[in-house]
Amino acid sequence: MGRDSVSHQVIDLPNIDGSQFKVPLPTDFAKVTASTHRPRFLLLYGSIRERSYSRLLTMEAARLLEAFGGEVKVYDPRGLPLPDGEPDTHPKVVELRELANWSEGMVWCSPERHGAMTGIMKAQIDWIPLSQGAIRPTQGKTLAVMEVSGGSQSFNAVNQMRVLGRWMRMLTIPNQSSVAKAYQEFDEAGRMRSSAYYERVVDVMEELFKFTLLTRDLLPFLTDRYSERREAGAELSERMGQDKL
């Protein structure tokens, strides 16, 4: 055995609960039943201007995902209140949360404003909770991030959204899109012109679709955590102990 090679059979782990410690095996993936429905995608954009370039870019992404075979829903952020400005029973909040629960993958597209994503973009994400009872609306779902800017190409907004995606426990794909001088990239009808920027959007949506197909049926396995198994086991033991009183 090499100097840096360690067998799990000889590791001393005194803090580990052996009843909840599982070794992942390739055969675990063979137990998964493949879904037959079309992959479901929720698309969010971060501007409510009449000619919103983040919305136009989002609609191009929607067309591509539908062409790949996905079912796509685009959320309209108009009328969504600021986080905590209204109760979570507000119709626009309920709509957003239902779409988040329904989706298997997401696309977030924001303009870059003052070196950051817009407040409109952030407000939508802030209204999506990490958990709703036993439901976790975003955990383990795929995510693609895109941005538009009025000047030179930048990556501030997509980098911020990647941080948020990680915080929301999502699988953010490696590829991304950043469209510079967006006002030059769309025609009068709002369709994106042929360019390297457009081809990157195609690449990103193709990658998102593949990652979604690859992972959507594996969520229970991929998000099964030692700490949560241990917590659930402790709660079960406590309930059983109370039943015997």
Side-chain angles (χ1 to χ4, degrees), residues 46-186:
S47 171
I48 57 174
R49 294 171 56 190
E50 182 175 354
R51 186 171 171 83
S52 162
Y53 293 108
S54 63
R55 178 178 59 83
L56 295 180
L57 184 59
T58 296
M59 296 310 298
E60 292 293 345
R63 295 181 186 100
L64 289 165
L65 289 171
E66 288 181 338
F68 285 127
E71 184 177 357
V72 178
K73 296 187 179 181
V74 180
Y75 179 75
D76 183 350
R78 290 176 297 179
L80 180 70
L82 290 173
D84 301 325
E86 295 284 347
D88 59 13
T89 54
H90 188 283
K92 290 297 292 186
V93 176
V94 172
E95 178 190 1
L96 176 60
R97 292 185 172 187
E98 288 179 349
L99 289 173
N101 289 334
W102 166 85
S103 69
E104 296 169 327
M106 294 190 190
V107 178
W108 297 349
C109 181
S110 177
E112 181 169 322
R113 185 170 295 165
H114 299 313
M117 80 179 79
T118 62
I120 295 169
M121 188 76 241
K122 184 64 162 57
Q124 294 174 81
I125 300 169
D126 284 347
W127 271 119
I128 302 174
L130 283 173
S131 63
Q132 289 177 286
I135 299 174
R136 290 180 173 169
T138 57
Q139 177 172 266
K141 296 181 179 180
T142 53
L143 171 66
V145 293
M146 305 191 298
E147 74 166 81
V148 295
S149 56
S152 59
Q153 191 174 41
S154 179
F155 301 95
N156 291 323
V158 289
N159 287 340
Q160 285 185 325
M161 289 187 286
R162 283 187 176 278
V163 171
L164 283 175
R166 183 173 68 246
W167 185 259
M168 301 296 285
R169 298 180 176 181
M170 303 184 76
L171 301 174
T172 308
I173 66 169
N175 215 341
Q176 62 187 22
S177 169
S178 174
V179 179
K181 297 181 180 178
Y183 58 88
Q184 296 180 349
E185 299 301 322
F186 294 87

Side-chain angles (χ1 to χ4, degrees), residues 179-196:
V179 179
K181 297 181 180 178
Y183 58 88
Q184 296 180 349
E185 299 301 322
F186 294 87
D187 62 23
E188 291 302 315
R191 295 304 304 270
M192 195 170 185
R193 294 187 169 94
S194 179
S195 67

